Amino acid sequence: MAKKTREEWKTYQDVFDQFTIRTLWELSSRGFLDGLKSPVSLGKEANVFTAEKGKDLLCAKIYRLETADFNSMYKYIRNDPRFSGLQHQRRKVIFAWCQREYRNLLKCKDAGISCPKPVIFKNNVLLMELIGIPAAPRLKEKPPASPGKFFKLVLENMKKLHKLKLVHADLSEYNILNHQEKPVFIDFSHATPLDTPNADELIKRDIKNICRYFKKLGVETTEKKIWDYINI
Ligand SMILES: Nc1ncnc2c1ncn2[C@@H]1O[C@H](COP(=O)(O)OP(=O)(O)OP(=O)(O)O)[C@@H](O)[C@H]1O
Ligand SMILES: [Mg+2]
């Protein structure tokens, strides 16, 4: 795909607001993408698209400026010591949310956690590695062929996250992709340091979700066993 001109980006006006179109155009004029290709997921917080960059495909996660529930976003993110001074303003909160996902992904990728490699963020747009072509299914849609094996890989990643002193805070079969029978953790915008006031509660919830999901598939485990494994 040839790089889109400013006029061509404007044809997205039925899909995105002017501000988002401008952000996409700026990223494209800086050479980070040529254009968007197809939607992967249209959600309530964010829309996810495949994006073309030369012969490569990337993933563009575009946080919604209008419908995003920024009040609850603010409630969560202001507990994160990295964003403690954040003002309660719609755009600032959404941009911080996007930046937090980028920073978390960068840290996790560097530590060898199985997650998309982030490329860049600007305002409410995050570009990252696309997992799978076509995009890999979520665990929710594609349960693992060998639950026991897959579970071990999930635990290894959870342990690495814990070592990094981060809690994913939204971990479940909805935010783990099954990419060729290997887990890839996604959706790191909730992830917060262990010294966040309610981190204990968040980690317990992640463990509970993972325990429930794999027990249903016949894996013998308990929340305590998972906690002990990731905590040593
Ligand atoms: N890097 C990626 N590669 C492939 N697919 C992805 C990638 N990132 C996200 N997706 C797909 O897009 C979906 C939504 O992404 P994500 O979970 O990060 O957003 P979300 O915050 O849950 O959005 P919402 O809450 O609005 O539904 C995922 O469930 C997954 O199917
Ligand atoms: Mg998600």
Side-chain angles (χ1 to χ4, degrees):
M1 184 201 265
K3 199 154 128 180
K4 280 192 191 303
T5 62
R6 193 168 187 177
E7 289 309 309
E8 284 171 311
W9 276 110
K10 282 189 183 159
T11 60
Y12 279 110
Q13 64 199 12
D14 293 341
V15 189
F16 304 118
D17 56 275
Q18 287 303 318
F19 185 89
T20 301
I21 292 175
R22 198 185 154 77
T23 301
L24 285 164
W25 175 71
E26 277 177 29
L27 285 169
S28 133
S29 65
R30 286 165 61 195
F32 288 106
L33 78 162
D34 300 331
L36 298 178
K37 195 163 181 242
S38 42
V40 177
S41 156
L42 304 177
K44 66 183 162 40
E45 261 180 23
N47 294 324
V48 175
F49 291 82
T50 57
E52 286 177 308
K53 164 76 188 114
K55 287 193 192 114
D56 297 329
L57 278 180
L58 291 172
C59 178
K61 181 169 178 180
I62 304 173
Y63 284 92
R64 302 166 77 110
L65 291 179
E66 300 314 322
T67 51
D69 182 5
F70 96 105
N71 283 313
S72 65
M73 282 174 156
Y74 181 67
K75 203 178 74 194
Y76 287 122
I77 202 169
R78 78 178 166 175
N79 283 328
D80 183 331
R82 296 172 297 178
F83 293 90
S84 54
L86 188 68
Q87 287 171 295
H88 192 193
Q89 286 173 19
R90 174 179 284 274
R91 283 197 181 169
K92 284 196 176 145
V93 172
I94 296 165
F95 298 170
W97 201 253
C98 182
Q99 186 195 111
R100 178 156 79 156
E101 176 149 33
Y102 174 86
R103 282 169 66 173
N104 288 331
L105 283 171
L106 201 62
K107 202 168 170 193
C108 289
K109 194 72 203 173
D110 276 356
I113 290 167
S114 173
C115 67
K117 185 178 160 71
V119 176
I120 192 165
F121 74 94
K122 184 173 175 64
N123 301 332
N124 58 326
V125 178
L126 168 66
L127 291 180
M128 62 184 141
E129 176 190 359
L130 177 71
I131 305 299
I133 299 176
R138 302 178 304 179
L139 212 43
K140 173 70 188 163
E141 283 101 32
K142 191 172 193 290
S146 310
K149 260 197 206 164
F150 202 97
F151 176 61
K152 278 197 187 122
L153 296 174
V154 168
L155 286 191
E156 275 174 28
N157 282 292
M158 288 174 78
K159 195 181 174 96
K160 283 182 193 165
L161 251 170
H162 196 67
K163 251 195 162 159
L164 268 187
K165 299 196 185 307
L166 272 182
V167 192
H168 183 286
D170 197 16
L171 198 62
S172 73
E173 63 273 32
Y174 292 92
N175 284 328
I176 299 177
L177 302 180
N178 179 350
H179 182 41
Q180 299 167 347
E181 296 304 329
K182 300 245 164 64
V184 180
F185 288 12
I186 59 163
D187 206 356
F188 278 78
S189 56
H190 290 260
T192 197
L194 277 183
D195 59 355
T196 302
N198 62 337
D200 262 11
E201 204 181 296
L202 298 170
I203 200 164
K204 274 189 196 141
R205 194 176 62 189
D206 283 355
I207 289 175
K208 196 172 177 172
N209 285 337
I210 294 303
C211 188
R212 171 195 42 77
Y213 179 79
F214 283 97
K215 269 172 93 166
K216 211 175 60 193
L217 296 182
V219 175
E220 269 185 50
T221 188
T222 62
E223 288 171 31
K224 165 112 180 37
K225 276 190 195 162
I226 297 178
W227 170 248
D228 289 347
Y229 178 80
I230 66 176
N231 200 31
I232 47 160

